[in-house]
């Protein structure tokens, strides 16, 4: 650590990090960035073997995920390692894990066991598909959560078929949601004096992130299609090729629409509901082919 974390918002909290891969480390990284005293618990190399994910220890991905943390090596599969871990739990504020739900019980580091050591403990869990239900024992991966959660069906060019997002959005969002839940539980602990179990999953996070695309179905019974770079409900929005690169247009809302028309020296005409971006630009005398013949600086 390169700074005095005691001056940061979470400097008074100690977090024990049992996480691996990405969703869990993302959660704990957020707490560490805000000053929490984080101790990452790692398996000995002889036990971990080649099963570890996240890239080389000194690689950019691993270092980014685990910044602002200290580490300790403990073999939780051995009684001595588990005993040392529970001594740490006695004085900790938070434990975060993202094992498959059955693994933590097998190791003896589940919430029920650890809360007997420290009743004020806030315990954060991230699973693939939830702590119960038919998929509870399945490992979770971002790619699968993006597909099952619906994101891949609305990402990409129309007719292209399912496309994953360019970042591990399910992992990252599950991590951030868990961090928010932990902070909320720490606030509640100031009132009740008791810790609690905070749970989220990759699938839960991904479904939440569908946001207005999901409510289009729930409230309007409209199945959202792929829209490419166009916005599904706000027009004109899109990316167009020009002679010297691409121009990215987002002119939703009447005021911004009027400024856009003025910028391209076109008459102001309000877009009609149901039109797409190409139809709106055509009314202004601009086709995608004509935009491609212009230089970006000539448009803006």
């Amino acid at each position: 650590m390169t700074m005095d974390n005691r001056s940061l918002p979470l400097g008074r909290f100690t977090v024990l990090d049992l996480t691996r891969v990405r969703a869990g480390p993302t959660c704990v990284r957020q707490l560490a960035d805000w000053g929490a005293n984080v101790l990452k618990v790692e398996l000995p190399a002889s036990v971990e073997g080649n099963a570890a994910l996240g890239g080389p220890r000194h690689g950019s991905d691993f270092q980014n995920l685990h910044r602002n943390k200290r580490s300790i090596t403990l073999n939780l599969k051995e009684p001595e390692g588990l005993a040392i871990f529970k001594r740490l739990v006695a004085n900790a504020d938070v434990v975060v894990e993202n094992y498959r739900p059955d693994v933590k019980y097998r190791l003896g580091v589940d919430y029920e066991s650890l809360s007997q050591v420290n009743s004020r403990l806030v315990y954060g869990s991230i699973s693939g598909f939830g702590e119960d239900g038919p998929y509870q024992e399945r490992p979770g991966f971002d790619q699968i959560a993006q597909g099952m959660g619906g994101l891949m069906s609305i990402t990409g060019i129309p007719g292209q078929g399912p496309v994953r997002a360019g970042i591990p959005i399910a992992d990252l969002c599950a991590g951030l949601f868990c961090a928010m839940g932990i902070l909320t539980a720490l606030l509640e602990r100031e009132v009740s004096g008791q810790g609690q179990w905070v749970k989220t999953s990759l699938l839960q996070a991904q479904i939440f992130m569908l946001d207005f695309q999901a409510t289009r179905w729930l409230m309007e019974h409209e199945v959202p299609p792929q829209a490419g770079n166009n916005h599904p409900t706000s027009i004109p929005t899109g990316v167009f090729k020009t002679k010297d690169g691409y121009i990215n247009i987002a002119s939703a809302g009447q005021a911004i629409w009027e400024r856009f028309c003025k910028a391209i020296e076109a008459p102001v005409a309000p877009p009609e509901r149901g039109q797409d971006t190409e139809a709106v630009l055509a009314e202004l005398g601009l086709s995608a082919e004509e935009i491609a013949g212009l230089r970006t600086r000539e448009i803006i």
Side-chain angles (χ1 to χ4, degrees), residues 65-81:
L65 281 170
H66 299 290
R67 63 177 182 250
N68 295 327
K69 303 176 184 179
R70 297 179 295 165
S71 67
I72 184 174
T73 299
L74 285 177
N75 187 354
L76 297 178
K77 297 181 179 181
E78 295 293 336
E80 296 83 358

Side-chain angles (χ1 to χ4, degrees), residues 13 170 176:
F13 297 109
L176 291 175

Side-chain angles (χ1 to χ4, degrees), residues 2 63 116 139 182 191-193 237 240 276:
T2 58
Q63 292 296 313
Q116 294 178 21
I182 289 168
V191 177
S192 68
T237 301
F240 300 89
D276 58 24

